[in-house]
Amino acid sequence: MTIPLHPRAEAHGKVIVLGEHAVVYGYPAVAAGLPQGVVLEAQPRPDPRLPVTLTIPAWDLDLELHPASDHPVARACLEVLAHCDGPVTGWAIRGASALPSRAGLGSSAALTVALARLVYGPDASIDDVVAASLAGERVFHGEPSGLDSRVAAQGGVLRYVRGEPPRAINPGAPLPLCIIPSGIPRSTADQVARCRSRLEHLPSVVRPVLIAVGQAVESGIHAIEHGDLDTLGVLFDVAHGLLGALDVSSPALDRMAADARAAGARGAKLTGAGRGGCLLALVGDAPETLTAAFPNLRPLFVEVAAS
Ligand code: PMV
């Protein structure tokens, strides 16, 4: 008799709206859940003794969750299933996602949250699901902050400070965001190291930059709560400049930000670790000009409201 799974579960992706890098040093960040995330569906395998499989064509994943597997996704999923007392045999899990993987959009947290929900079911508490997701996230990220898992499980907009419980933010108006994947790979660890190296080299100059990023977050939250998209757009532009000063942007991201503004975005900034990954634009009055400005990059449009 195999351990049962629920037939379907889903989770949000995430985007850091403001505050990346400074959040590592204890300043606040604000992140939003993306309606686009991961959907998993489970079906029994004909032979219940066969290992659980995970197939996500959008991410080129087709795995057996075998205890001997050294694939990080298999190992992470097995950690989640072990945490939840879920099955390791008898199920075929198939996933769909509109998120690019490894682009700073919380794909691994969305996967592990959805997997925990396949075991626990739709009524599981956010805290239980986050704890199970973190068991898998540790395989990918060592000691993750937990922000990605929380946003993946809860959605909405969250203010986050390291070591404190996240606080939900209520947007005064839906946030019209456009996420533009650069297609350039990046390493979060390398980018955090670049910022740290700049801080250590010039602490009296760079520490105020980190403080300014934190201030942009607080002003940004005020703007989000009051539906003041014009001010939020200006804060995106300021944050992008500050992130450049922290040495985590790149000529490609700077060009993309300029192109997004020229195409009518209210503001644009890198999001997440930087150097590659994604650009985040606050959509202005004409979203179609943004699409036209990035013909080869498949912009993802999202409206983020309260969870
Ligand atoms: O890995 P990403 O792209 O989701 O973003 C990392 C955010 C950083 O602030 C750069 C690092 C961190 O641990 O918060």
Side-chain angles (χ1 to χ4, degrees), residues 69-103:
S69 173
D70 57 4
H71 194 292
V73 175
R75 288 198 295 116
C77 290
L78 284 167
E79 289 294 334
V80 174
L81 292 171
H83 180 101
C84 306
D85 294 325
V88 290
T89 62
W91 292 93
I93 300 173
R94 199 172 167 85
S97 179
L99 296 176
S101 62
R102 296 188 296 272

Coordinates of all heavy atoms in Angstrom, one line a residue, residues 69-103:
S69 N 20.3 8.8 -6.2 CA 20.5 9.8 -7.2 C 21.4 11.0 -6.6 O 21.2 11.4 -5.4 CB 19.2 10.4 -7.6 OG 19.4 11.5 -8.4
D70 N 22.3 11.5 -7.4 CA 23.1 12.6 -6.9 C 22.6 13.9 -7.6 O 23.2 15.0 -7.5 CB 24.6 12.4 -7.1 CG 25.0 12.2 -8.6 OD1 24.0 12.2 -9.4 OD2 26.1 11.9 -8.8
H71 N 21.5 13.8 -8.3 CA 20.9 15.1 -8.9 C 20.3 16.0 -7.8 O 19.6 15.5 -7.0 CB 19.8 14.7 -9.9 CG 19.4 15.8 -10.8 ND1 18.7 16.9 -10.4 CD2 19.5 15.9 -12.2 CE1 18.5 17.7 -11.4 NE2 19.0 17.2 -12.5
P72 N 20.7 17.2 -7.8 CA 20.3 18.1 -6.7 C 18.8 18.2 -6.6 O 18.2 18.2 -5.4 CB 20.9 19.5 -7.0 CG 21.5 19.4 -8.3 CD 21.7 17.9 -8.7
V73 N 18.1 18.2 -7.7 CA 16.6 18.3 -7.6 C 16.0 17.0 -7.0 O 15.1 17.1 -6.1 CB 16.0 18.6 -9.0 CG1 14.5 18.5 -8.9 CG2 16.5 19.9 -9.5
A74 N 16.6 15.9 -7.4 CA 16.1 14.6 -6.8 C 16.4 14.6 -5.3 O 15.5 14.2 -4.5 CB 16.8 13.4 -7.5
R75 N 17.6 15.0 -4.9 CA 18.0 15.0 -3.5 C 17.1 16.0 -2.7 O 16.6 15.7 -1.6 CB 19.5 15.4 -3.3 CG 20.4 14.2 -3.8 CD 21.8 14.3 -3.3 NE 22.5 15.5 -3.8 CZ 22.9 16.5 -3.0 NH1 22.7 16.5 -1.7 NH2 23.5 17.6 -3.6
A76 N 16.8 17.2 -3.3 CA 16.0 18.1 -2.6 C 14.6 17.6 -2.4 O 14.0 17.7 -1.3 CB 16.0 19.4 -3.4
C77 N 14.0 17.0 -3.5 CA 12.7 16.5 -3.4 C 12.6 15.3 -2.4 O 11.6 15.2 -1.6 CB 12.2 16.0 -4.8 SG 11.9 17.4 -5.9
L78 N 13.6 14.5 -2.4 CA 13.6 13.4 -1.4 C 13.7 13.9 0.1 O 13.0 13.4 1.0 CB 14.8 12.4 -1.6 CG 14.6 11.5 -2.8 CD1 15.9 10.8 -3.2 CD2 13.5 10.4 -2.5
E79 N 14.4 15.0 0.3 CA 14.4 15.7 1.6 C 13.0 16.2 2.0 O 12.6 16.0 3.1 CB 15.4 16.9 1.6 CG 16.9 16.5 1.6 CD 17.3 15.7 2.8 OE1 16.7 15.9 3.9 OE2 18.3 14.9 2.6
V80 N 12.3 16.8 1.0 CA 11.0 17.3 1.3 C 10.1 16.1 1.7 O 9.3 16.1 2.7 CB 10.4 18.0 0.1 CG1 8.9 18.4 0.3 CG2 11.2 19.3 -0.2
L81 N 10.1 15.0 0.8 CA 9.2 13.9 1.1 C 9.6 13.2 2.4 O 8.7 12.8 3.2 CB 9.4 12.9 -0.1 CG 8.8 13.4 -1.4 CD1 9.2 12.4 -2.5 CD2 7.3 13.5 -1.3
A82 N 10.9 13.2 2.8 CA 11.2 12.6 4.1 C 10.7 13.4 5.2 O 10.1 12.9 6.2 CB 12.7 12.5 4.2
H83 N 10.8 14.8 5.0 CA 10.3 15.7 6.1 C 8.8 15.5 6.3 O 8.3 15.6 7.4 CB 10.6 17.1 5.7 CG 10.1 18.1 6.7 ND1 10.9 18.8 7.6 CD2 8.8 18.6 6.9 CE1 10.2 19.6 8.3 NE2 8.9 19.5 7.9
C84 N 8.0 15.2 5.2 CA 6.6 15.2 5.3 C 6.1 13.7 5.5 O 4.9 13.5 5.4 CB 5.9 15.6 4.0 SG 6.4 17.2 3.4
D85 N 7.0 12.8 5.6 CA 6.6 11.3 5.6 C 5.8 11.0 4.4 O 4.8 10.3 4.4 CB 5.7 11.0 6.9 CG 6.5 11.1 8.2 OD1 7.7 10.8 8.1 OD2 6.0 11.6 9.2
G86 N 6.2 11.5 3.2 CA 5.6 11.2 2.0 C 6.1 10.0 1.3 O 7.1 9.4 1.8
P87 N 5.6 9.6 0.2 CA 6.0 8.3 -0.4 C 7.3 8.5 -1.2 O 7.6 9.6 -1.7 CB 4.8 8.1 -1.4 CG 4.3 9.4 -1.7 CD 4.5 10.2 -0.5
V88 N 8.0 7.4 -1.4 CA 9.2 7.4 -2.3 C 9.0 6.4 -3.4 O 9.8 6.3 -4.3 CB 10.5 7.1 -1.5 CG1 10.9 8.3 -0.6 CG2 10.5 5.8 -0.8
T89 N 7.9 5.7 -3.4 CA 7.6 4.8 -4.5 C 6.1 5.0 -4.9 O 5.3 5.5 -4.1 CB 7.8 3.3 -4.1 OG1 6.9 3.0 -3.1 CG2 9.2 3.0 -3.8
G90 N 5.8 4.6 -6.1 CA 4.4 4.4 -6.5 C 3.7 5.6 -7.2 O 2.5 5.5 -7.5
W91 N 4.5 6.7 -7.4 CA 3.8 7.9 -8.0 C 4.6 8.5 -9.1 O 5.9 8.5 -9.1 CB 3.6 9.0 -6.9 CG 2.6 8.6 -5.9 CD1 2.9 8.0 -4.7 CD2 1.2 8.7 -6.0 NE1 1.7 7.7 -4.0 CE2 0.6 8.2 -4.8 CE3 0.3 9.2 -6.9 CZ2 -0.7 8.2 -4.5 CZ3 -1.1 9.2 -6.7 CH2 -1.6 8.7 -5.5
A92 N 3.9 9.0 -10.1 CA 4.5 9.8 -11.2 C 4.0 11.2 -11.0 O 2.8 11.5 -11.0 CB 4.1 9.2 -12.6
I93 N 5.0 12.1 -10.8 CA 4.6 13.5 -10.6 C 5.0 14.3 -11.8 O 6.2 14.2 -12.3 CB 5.3 14.1 -9.3 CG1 4.9 13.3 -8.1 CG2 5.0 15.6 -9.2 CD1 5.7 13.7 -6.8
R94 N 4.1 15.1 -12.3 CA 4.4 15.9 -13.6 C 4.1 17.3 -13.2 O 3.2 17.7 -12.5 CB 3.4 15.4 -14.7 CG 3.9 15.8 -16.0 CD 3.1 15.2 -17.1 NE 3.5 15.9 -18.4 CZ 4.5 15.6 -19.1 NH1 5.3 14.6 -18.8 NH2 4.8 16.3 -20.2
G95 N 5.0 18.2 -13.7 CA 4.9 19.6 -13.3 C 4.9 20.5 -14.5 O 5.4 20.2 -15.6
A96 N 4.3 21.6 -14.4 CA 4.3 22.7 -15.4 C 4.6 24.0 -14.7 O 4.3 24.2 -13.6 CB 2.9 22.8 -16.0
S97 N 5.4 24.8 -15.5 CA 5.8 26.1 -14.9 C 6.0 27.1 -16.0 O 6.5 26.7 -17.1 CB 7.1 26.0 -14.1 OG 7.4 27.3 -13.6
A98 N 5.6 28.4 -15.8 CA 5.9 29.4 -16.7 C 7.1 30.2 -16.3 O 7.5 31.2 -16.9 CB 4.7 30.4 -16.8
L99 N 7.8 29.8 -15.2 CA 9.0 30.4 -14.7 C 10.2 29.9 -15.3 O 10.3 28.6 -15.4 CB 9.1 30.2 -13.2 CG 8.1 30.7 -12.2 CD1 8.4 30.3 -10.8 CD2 8.0 32.2 -12.3
P100 N 11.2 30.7 -15.7 CA 12.4 30.1 -16.0 C 13.1 29.6 -14.8 O 12.9 30.2 -13.7 CB 13.2 31.3 -16.6 CG 12.5 32.5 -16.2 CD 11.1 32.2 -15.8
S101 N 13.8 28.5 -14.8 CA 14.5 28.0 -13.6 C 15.9 28.7 -13.5 O 16.4 29.3 -14.5 CB 14.7 26.5 -13.7 OG 15.5 26.2 -14.8
R102 N 16.4 28.8 -12.3 CA 17.7 29.4 -12.0 C 17.9 30.8 -12.5 O 18.9 31.2 -13.0 CB 18.8 28.5 -12.6 CG 18.9 27.1 -12.0 CD 20.1 26.4 -12.4 NE 20.1 26.1 -13.8 CZ 19.5 25.0 -14.4 NH1 19.0 24.1 -13.6 NH2 19.6 24.9 -15.7
A103 N 16.8 31.6 -12.4 CA 16.8 33.0 -12.9 C 16.5 34.0 -11.7 O 16.2 35.1 -12.0 CB 15.9 33.2 -14.1

